[in-house]
Amino acid sequence: MTGKKIRVKAPATVSNLSCGFDVIGLALGEPYDIVELELTETGSIEIEEIRGCETLSRDPGKNVVGAVLKAVAAAAGGLTGFRAVLEKGIRPGSGIGSSGASAAAAAYAAGRLLDDRFSLNDLVRFAMEGERLVSGSPHADNAAPSLLGGITLIRSYDPLDIVQLHIPRELWCVIIHPEAEIRTSVARGLLDTHIPLGTAVRQWGNLAGLVAGLYREDYELIGRSLVDFVAEPKRAGLISGFCDLKEAALKNGALGAGISGSGPSVFALCRGRDTAAEVMKGMSDTMVSLGTAFDAYMSPVSRKGAEEW
Ligand code: HSE
C-alpha cells in the first residue's frame, strides 16, 4: 500500500571498543538520527529534505539513506519506491556511528513499511550498503547495534552472524566528541592489511577477555581487555590530545578508553553513573585546556536500537 509513512529514530553507537575492530559495537542513549519514510510506487528513491546538516547530499546515489533504500527496493522488487526526510542528530565524521544510525533508521523504517517481510539480518545487510557507500567497506559494527540496540558482536560477515551480548548492569559509556571530522575511509586507509601473528594473538586475547568480562560482569577484566594493538596505534595521531584524553579518563576511574569507531570521538567505559560523571568532567577539563571545542555525552548502554518515534 503506497502512502504509508513511518518515523524512526536510531541511536549513535561506539564501535570497535578498542579490541574488536569491525566486529563489536554498542548502542548509546543519545544522540540519534531520525528518518521519516513514505512508501511510493514510483520505483524511485527520493530524499526530500535533510535537516540538521548542510553538508550531506540529497542525491540518493551519494547518501547513506539512498543506498540503503535502493538495496531494500531492489530486494522488494516491483515498483517499490521511497520518499525520505533525514533528520541528523549525529554529526557526520564524528566516530559515533553517524552513517550507521542513518542507515539503521532507513533500513528499519523500510522494513516496517513493507510489513516486516525482511529478517533482522536482512535489515543489517541493507544498512551495510550505506556504510559501503560512505567508507568503501560494508562493516556492520555501527549499523547492527544501532538497529538492534545493546552490545552486538559480528561473529561472521559471510554468512552474517550477529550475536547480542550481555550488558553488565553498571556499565556506562562516556563520549568526548572533539569538533573535527575524520572520514572513515581515510582512517581505514591508515591500517595495515596484514597483522603479525603475535599482534593478532594479543588482540583476540583481549576481545575474548572483553566478552568474558561482559558476561561475568567483571569490570576489571573489561578494563584490562580494552587495549587496541591494531587500529589505535595507526589512528591516534589523527586526534589531537588523544593521549591526554585517555590519561584523564583513566585517572578519573574509567575502566578503559580508546577511539570510538574511526574517531575523532574518544570513548571511556565506566562502572556506574557517578564514575562516568567524574570521567566526563576530567575529560572535558582536558578538552578545555587543549582549547578544542567539543561535545560530551554519558549514557548507559542502550537496550533500544531503531524504533518508531
Ligand atoms: N569499525 C569501523 C572502523 C567503524 O573502525 O573503521 C567506523 O565507523
Side-chain angles (χ1 to χ4, degrees):
M1 193 181 74
T2 57
K4 277 203 308 188
K5 279 187 184 172
I6 193 168
R7 180 177 157 90
V8 165
K9 85 167 189 180
T13 48
V14 178
S15 59
N16 297 342
L17 298 178
S18 296
C19 51
F21 177 76
D22 270 3
V23 300
I24 194 165
L26 60 77
L28 298 167
E30 59 160 358
Y32 48 83
D33 281 359
I34 293 175
V35 169
E36 285 173 16
L37 199 63
E38 185 181 346
L39 189 61
T40 67
E41 262 178 12
T42 57
S44 65
I45 311 297
E46 190 190 334
I47 299 176
E48 198 173 60
E49 191 185 343
I50 298 176
R51 301 179 192 139
C53 180
E54 281 159 16
T55 54
L56 294 177
S57 170
R58 281 179 44 228
D59 177 347
K62 296 181 181 161
N63 186 289
V64 171
V65 168
V68 174
L69 296 178
K70 209 172 128 193
V72 178
L79 281 176
T80 308
F82 296 103
R83 187 173 302 120
V85 173
L86 170 62
E87 215 173 294
K88 289 297 295 176
I90 311 169
R91 233 172 313 147
S94 54
I96 49 173
S98 177
S99 51
S102 295
Y108 184 82
R112 289 293 305 277
L113 289 182
L114 292 168
D115 304 318
D116 296 321
R117 76 175 73 162
F118 298 111
S119 68
L120 287 175
N121 266 15
D122 289 336
L123 297 186
V124 173
R125 265 189 222 100
F126 297 140
M128 285 164 65
E129 290 307 312
E131 297 289 39
R132 188 199 299 277
L133 179 84
V134 289
S135 73
S137 139
H139 54 276
D141 51 339
N142 293 111
S146 187
L147 248 163
L148 309 172
I151 309 175
T152 60
L153 172 74
I154 296 100
R155 189 207 57 82
S156 156
Y157 275 91
D158 187 16
L160 189 62
D161 184 1
I162 295 171
V163 183
Q164 291 273 30
L165 302 178
H166 178 73
I167 306 169
R169 275 158 292 194
E170 296 177 78
L171 196 63
W172 278 70
C173 190
V174 172
I175 299 288
I176 297 293
H177 170 211
E179 206 172 85
E181 187 180 329
I182 294 179
R183 284 179 178 273
T184 299
S185 53
V186 171
R188 292 181 81 85
L190 297 175
L191 305 181
D192 292 334
T193 50
H194 290 83
I195 294 166
L197 185 60
T199 307
V201 168
R202 292 198 287 174
Q203 192 84 359
W204 62 50
N206 279 318
L207 181 58
L210 173 60
V211 173
L214 295 174
Y215 277 87
R216 286 161 52 166
E217 304 210 5
D218 181 338
Y219 295 90
E220 296 299 318
L221 177 56
I222 292 170
R224 290 203 299 283
S225 305
L226 292 175
V227 187
D228 182 3
F229 297 106
V230 173
E232 188 177 299
K234 305 285 177 185
R235 291 174 166 177
L238 295 175
I239 305 166
S240 71
F242 173 74
C243 293
D244 297 333
L245 273 173
K246 195 166 163 174
E247 198 183 304
L250 297 175
K251 211 170 72 192
N252 284 281
L255 303 167
I259 302 172
S260 176
S262 53
S265 288
V266 175
F267 79 96
L269 292 188
C270 306
R271 181 175 190 171
R273 174 189 249 281
D274 292 350
T275 307
E278 288 290 312
V279 168
M280 189 164 85
K281 182 170 184 320
M283 294 174 83
S284 299
D285 288 347
T286 302
M287 289 305 288
V288 170
S289 64
L290 288 168
T292 311
F294 66 100
D295 293 317
Y297 310 94
M298 57 180 259
S299 156
V301 178
S302 172
R303 288 175 191 278
K304 286 195 178 155
E307 60 180 331
E308 205 168 335
W309 190 243

